[in-house]
Amino acid sequence: MLLVGHAAWAYVISRSLASVLNVKINPYLVMLLGMVPDADILLQEYIKHRSVTHSMLFWGIVFIPFFIAYRKRSIPYFMAVVQHIMLGDVIVASTNLIWPWRYEIGMGYSALSPLNMAMESIGLGLALLLTIKYDRFIITRNRCNILGLVVILPLLGSMLYLFTANGLLFLDHIIGSNISAKNMIRGSNDMMFVAMILHVSFSILLSISILQGMYALIARIH
C-alpha cells in the first residue's frame, strides 16, 4: 500500500477504536504512525526493507511501556502501526510478520493493482467521513492543525519518488535487490492516475488544515 493508504486506514481504524473505547486520539499522530514502518526505506544501508520495522513482534515490544502507562488509550496508536503491516503490506507483495523469525505472508499484488487502489480509495473516503463526524476541527482554525506538517511531508516525498523517473530509480536503489521498487509499484497508466489523484486529494485536505492552523497561530500572536 502507498503512504496515502497507510495514513488513511491508520486514521479510520484508530478513530473507530477510539470511539469504541471512549478515548481521545491525535489524528495526525495516528496518521504518522501508520506510515512509520516504511521509514526503513530511507535506512536501507542499515536495515532491510520489511524486516524489523514491519515486525509485529518488534512493535509489540516497543508498545509495552505505553500499554502499562496509558492502558487502553494506547491501543488506537498501536493499531495505527499494526494496520500498516496486517492490511497494507499483506495486500502488496509480502512481509515478514514476526521478524527476526521468518514467517512471510502476502497476497503479492502490486501497489498499483486495481485491488490496492480500491482499498486506498475506500480508506481515504472513510477517513474523510470520520473527519467530518469526529474531528471537524481538522478543517477549522485550530493551532493543532499545524501538526498536519508531519503527515504531508512524507506524503509529498512519496509523490516525488513514485511519480518521477528519478524517483523510481532512487527507490529501486535504496530498497535493494531483494524487493524491486519497480515491481512493487508496477501497474497501468490508469492506476497511476488514480494513485496521483489520491495523493493530491489528501495533500489538499492536509494543506487546508495546516493553513487553518497557521491562521489560528497568527491570530493568537496578534
Side-chain angles (χ1 to χ4, degrees):
M1 192 170 279
L2 303 175
L3 288 187
V4 60
H6 285 310
W9 278 107
Y11 174 72
V12 169
I13 292 173
S14 297
R15 167 46 66 198
S16 300
L17 274 173
S19 299
V20 172
L21 297 172
N22 194 28
V23 296
K24 294 181 179 180
I25 61 168
N26 183 314
Y28 300 112
L29 181 54
V30 296
M31 291 180 200
L32 178 63
L33 286 173
M35 298 185 285
V36 160
D38 277 342
D40 59 2
I41 293 178
L42 302 176
L43 302 172
Q44 183 62 27
E45 292 186 12
Y46 309 101
I47 56 176
K48 178 184 174 183
H49 182 50
R50 292 198 174 186
S51 58
V52 59
T53 62
H54 288 71
S55 170
M56 296 280 290
L57 181 61
F58 170 76
W59 288 110
I61 294 172
V62 167
F63 266 83
I64 287 176
F66 297 98
F67 289 140
I68 295 173
Y70 299 104
R71 300 180 183 275
K72 68 177 183 178
R73 286 179 292 170
S74 63
I75 295 176
Y77 296 97
F78 175 68
M79 291 305 299
V81 181
V82 168
Q83 64 77 35
H84 179 118
I85 303 164
M86 295 300 296
L87 180 61
D89 288 347
V90 167
I91 294 174
V92 176
S94 62
T95 191
N96 192 359
L97 292 181
I98 54 173
W99 184 94
W101 292 280
R102 189 167 186 81
Y103 181 72
E104 286 204 9
I105 185 171
M107 300 170 68
Y109 286 96
S110 161
L112 292 179
S113 65
L115 173 62
N116 188 59
M117 284 296 96
M119 288 297 295
E120 303 225 16
S121 301
I122 292 170
L124 189 56
L126 290 174
L128 180 58
L129 291 175
L130 290 174
T131 296
I132 294 172
K133 183 174 182 179
Y134 294 104
D135 295 309
R136 193 167 293 186
F137 76 87
I138 287 179
I139 51 177
T140 62
R141 291 193 177 184
N142 189 305
R143 286 176 296 159
C144 295
N145 289 332
I146 294 178
L147 292 175
L149 285 168
V150 302
V151 180
I152 199 172
L153 290 177
L155 196 64
L156 293 176
S158 173
M159 292 175 65
L160 174 65
Y161 294 136
L162 289 173
F163 305 119
T164 67
N166 288 335
L168 292 178
L169 292 174
F170 175 79
L171 274 178
D172 205 34
H173 170 70
I174 60 176
I175 290 177
S177 59
N178 291 319
I179 300 178
S180 170
K182 293 179 180 178
N183 287 333
M184 288 183 69
I185 61 173
R186 67 186 183 278
S188 67
N189 290 334
D190 290 341
M191 292 299 100
M192 181 69 82
F193 179 73
V194 172
M196 178 63 81
I197 292 298
L198 291 175
H199 277 77
V200 171
S201 300
F202 200 7
S203 297
I204 290 174
L205 175 62
L206 288 169
S207 296
I208 293 172
S209 181
I210 293 166
L211 287 174
Q212 293 282 49
M214 293 176 66
Y215 287 145
L217 182 61
I218 292 172
R220 182 176 178 83
I221 292 174
H222 289 287

